[in-house]
Amino acid sequence: MMVLSFASAKSYMGVFSGYPEAIGVQYTMDSGMRFSIGLPVFGGFGVAGSADMIMGSGPLGVEGFDLNYYYGAGVSAFFVNYTFYGSAFGVNGHGLLGVEWMIPDTNFGVFSEAQIGAEYDSYFAFGPFFGGRFGVNFR
């Protein structure tokens, strides 16, 4: 079933807001591999990026709505230079679960995604990671 869902997939781009990227762009390949880059959150200048693998997806079966779920796993990293605190960097590994609603009669999909995993950052050392995204995909 998963192989069939990827066989009909097409590459697409999107824009989003979330954590660790406060605002970013993403590109999802036919294979389910997704790359993103953006500006990190919390008042500094830097860069954040991630590589995720969308491992599966399917319809939610809500009458009258084209809603689909997806899940996967990935890694994220960020580097930021805070105005008052100095520089920081971090990396994490995470699982993800999301929902996308395809807007009728368009090629736009609005999505929301939660991420949970473990993180190392130069301020707090090792700890849990909670992230997520909200955005629009252009298919």
Side-chain angles (χ1 to χ4, degrees):
M1 186 173 180
M2 186 171 84
V3 171
L4 292 176
S5 68
F6 284 132
S8 63
K10 300 264 190 247
S11 296
Y12 56 91
M13 294 195 65
V15 295
F16 65 92
S17 181
Y19 178 80
E21 298 104 331
I23 186 166
V25 296
Q26 64 186 21
Y27 176 72
T28 306
M29 299 168 52
D30 293 350
S31 65
M33 195 72 204
R34 179 178 74 186
F35 299 98
S36 62
I37 191 164
L39 300 175
V41 296
F42 302 127
F45 181 76
V47 66
S50 64
D52 300 303
M53 182 64 182
I54 307 301
M55 294 184 219
S57 64
L60 282 174
V62 177
E63 185 76 28
F65 291 96
D66 187 4
L67 284 174
N68 293 290
Y69 70 89
Y70 61 92
Y71 60 91
V75 295
S76 297
F78 70 88
F79 174 79
V80 63
N81 189 7
Y82 295 107
T83 306
F84 298 107
Y85 305 113
S87 297
F89 69 93
V91 295
N92 74 66
H94 57 264
L96 60 92
L97 179 63
V99 175
E100 183 177 26
W101 172 55
M102 291 303 296
I103 300 171
D105 302 321
T106 70
N107 292 326
F108 301 110
V110 177
F111 71 92
S112 180
E113 174 182 306
Q115 301 174 355
I116 186 169
E119 177 176 57
Y120 169 81
D121 77 44
S122 59
Y123 277 130
F124 301 110
F126 287 98
F129 170 77
F130 302 99
R133 295 178 176 188
F134 178 79
V136 178
N137 286 320
F138 308 101
R139 294 181 180 263

